[in-house]
Amino acid sequence: MDWKKYALIVAITIGFILGLGVGAAAGKSAAVLKPLGDLFIRLMRMIVTPLVIITIAAAVAQIADLRRLGKLVIGMFVLFILLSALAASIMLPAALSFGPGVGVGLKPPAGYTPPTPPSVVDLILGVIPYDFVDIFSVSGLLKAIFFSIILGLAVSLAGEKGKPVARALGYLSDVVLKVVTIVMWVAPLGVFGYAAWLMGTYGTSILVAYGKLITLDYSVSLAFFFIVYTIVVALSRLNPLVYWKNIIEPALVAFTTRSSAVTLPVNIRAAQRTGIPDYVTNLVLPVGATCHMDGTAMYQVLCAVFIAQAFGITLDPTLYGTIIVVGTLAAVGTAAIPGGGLLMLAMTVAAAGLPLEGIALIVAIDPILDMLRTMINATGDVAVATLMARILEGPKWFVKAP
Ligand code: ASP
């Protein structure tokens, strides 16, 4: 057994459990440990945009066969949308029948101003960078993706002259991943700091007030996570246990950092350990980090229903379809940052004709919901990547695994 390979996962797990314990014991004063988490997040944010740009451009440039590239891109998006729509459709009947918001009677805090939902035009234009500098912001990763796909295509189309650039991009992505390896040694500390802070801040009191909402969110989301991803991985012919073992590390990082973007580097390492070919990993994971969020799709639907119930509004069944479609699209457009889904909630709530003030009801507990949805968002990308590897490489793709 190669202990070195597992040392980091063990250290992160210990950090997580210790953090929860310290947070529970210290209560609100555990907030002094938050800077440890901030330190880790900063290091990850530092590397995430170069990582996205280089890995995607390298992956696109290296797939010389444009038909193969088309198959990968289309297949990936079809799976992303299907899974998120499934997630949203499962949550709707659960939320309607369990009634987490019935009788809540909570009032939005005084002075709260509801956000304005983004328009569809804004969302589409938002994918295209305003200028070159605009590509580098972590909260706008879609722009980095847009740029790097075009860059990769250009390298491919440049023929002979593009070949050295494609090779250089390949080497560069190895180097950037080494930076990730260095930064990862801070992960146990970061996870410890954030787990303590979150536990100390949200502890048990809030769990009681919003008990039904949190219980429903966690039960349905976890059921989806374990059942659906096991099926997806089984369809790829990989033993699902290999998947579950390898995603412990990204799962814990996502749960505590609440950012799919920050988790991306760790996710890429997990996919590599699973044996997914690099060209699949390097495209599916960075794009999935921003465009594929099953946890967020479930959250959008759940919160819309919760808000309706909290205000005593009966949702017309004709709106069910709208909530699922808009909830799924809102998840696609959500930035991979903490609370990104909360910002997009305005879109789903407005589409369902509900008062936007209702979003204020969610704000207080959003971090608790964000932890789990981010964990599902991030790890779901690795599941999709296994299936894309199966589709492109045939049923024995994992035989070459390290
Ligand atoms: N925090 C989530 C993520 O990074 C996005 C969300 O808030 O729904 O995946």
Side-chain angles (χ1 to χ4, degrees):
M1 179 125 169
D2 181 2
W3 289 107
K4 252 179 95 187
K5 226 164 97 189
Y6 294 100
L8 196 56
I9 301 179
V10 172
I12 291 175
T13 312
I14 294 175
F16 179 69
I17 296 169
L18 269 183
L20 291 182
V22 169
K28 291 221 184 309
S29 46
V32 293
L33 295 169
K34 183 172 175 279
L36 289 176
D38 293 341
L39 171 81
F40 174 59
I41 290 230
R42 274 176 177 258
L43 289 167
M44 281 302 206
R45 286 177 71 110
M46 166 185 89
I47 198 63
V48 77
T49 327
L51 181 70
V52 167
I53 295 176
I54 292 167
T55 50
I56 295 186
V60 174
Q62 273 154 15
I63 312 174
D65 178 353
L66 287 185
R67 278 181 55 196
R68 199 173 166 81
L69 178 66
K71 202 169 160 187
L72 176 56
V73 171
I74 293 171
M76 163 180 89
F77 273 109
V78 168
L79 286 176
F80 285 170
I81 300 279
L82 279 181
L83 282 173
S84 292
L86 174 72
S89 317
I90 289 174
M91 185 55 98
L92 186 71
L96 288 170
S97 49
F98 194 71
V102 176
V104 165
L106 285 173
K107 296 273 171 288
Y112 173 79
T113 35
T116 334
S119 73
V120 175
V121 175
D122 287 347
L123 281 178
I124 295 172
L125 279 182
V127 176
I128 302 158
Y130 179 68
D131 54 23
F132 196 62
V133 183
D134 203 22
I135 296 169
F136 299 107
S137 146
V138 174
S139 42
L141 275 189
L142 269 179
K143 294 169 182 159
I145 292 175
F146 178 84
F147 169 75
S148 33
I149 290 180
I150 295 189
L151 179 67
L153 273 177
V155 171
S156 204
L157 292 174
E160 276 309 309
K161 286 188 178 152
K163 282 197 176 133
V165 183
R167 266 201 306 279
L169 283 169
Y171 294 139
L172 262 178
S173 60
D174 287 347
V175 173
V176 172
L177 278 166
K178 276 282 172 269
V179 177
V180 175
T181 311
I182 299 169
V183 169
M184 276 306 288
W185 288 105
V186 186
L189 264 187
V191 166
F192 165 76
Y194 268 179
W197 163 59
L198 287 164
M199 186 69 188
T201 310
Y202 296 100
T204 41
S205 56
I206 201 138
L207 296 183
V208 177
Y210 285 88
K212 268 179 122 178
L213 178 65
I214 297 171
T215 310
L216 181 64
D217 181 60
Y218 270 61
S219 346
V220 178
S221 303
L222 284 174
F224 176 90
F225 176 57
F226 286 117
I227 298 171
V228 176
Y229 294 162
T230 299
I231 295 176
V232 171
V233 175
L235 286 174
S236 83
R237 300 281 181 92
L238 176 74
N239 177 354
L241 286 178
V242 176
Y243 165 78
W244 290 111
K245 192 180 76 189
N246 282 312
I247 61 154
I248 295 175
E249 199 177 273
L252 288 175
V253 170
F255 194 79
T256 43
T257 63
R258 297 182 288 127
S259 167
S260 297
V262 166
T263 312
L264 175 64
V266 196
N267 233 8
I268 291 182
R269 286 158 48 94
Q272 287 178 334
R273 281 198 303 268
T274 311
I276 300 167
D278 281 351
Y279 73 94
V280 176
T281 299
N282 292 347
L283 198 65
V284 175
L285 264 50
V287 178
T290 48
C291 302
H292 174 224
M293 298 195 178
D294 299 338
T296 303
M298 285 187 271
Y299 159 85
Q300 294 285 330
V301 170
L302 173 62
C303 290
V305 175
F306 175 81
I307 289 169
Q309 290 166 345
F311 279 96
I313 300 168
T314 315
L315 280 171
D316 194 280
T318 53
L319 279 174
Y320 294 170
T322 311
I323 294 181
I324 290 176
V325 172
V326 179
T328 305
L329 292 179
V332 174
T334 294
I337 52 169
L342 183 69
L343 303 175
M344 292 303 281
L345 198 51
M347 198 172 140
T348 316
V349 171
L354 297 166
L356 284 173
E357 284 78 2
I359 296 172
L361 302 181
I362 311 290
V363 175
I365 50 151
D366 191 62
I368 298 178
L369 307 177
D370 200 6
M371 292 192 270
L372 187 68
R373 68 177 187 263
T374 308
M375 183 179 104
I376 295 176
N377 293 345
T379 52
D381 297 333
V382 181
V384 169
T386 63
L387 197 47
M388 285 315 301
R390 154 84 179 85
I391 292 169
L392 288 151
E393 295 282 319
K396 292 264 178 267
W397 63 269
F398 47 83
V399 170
K400 292 174 225 139

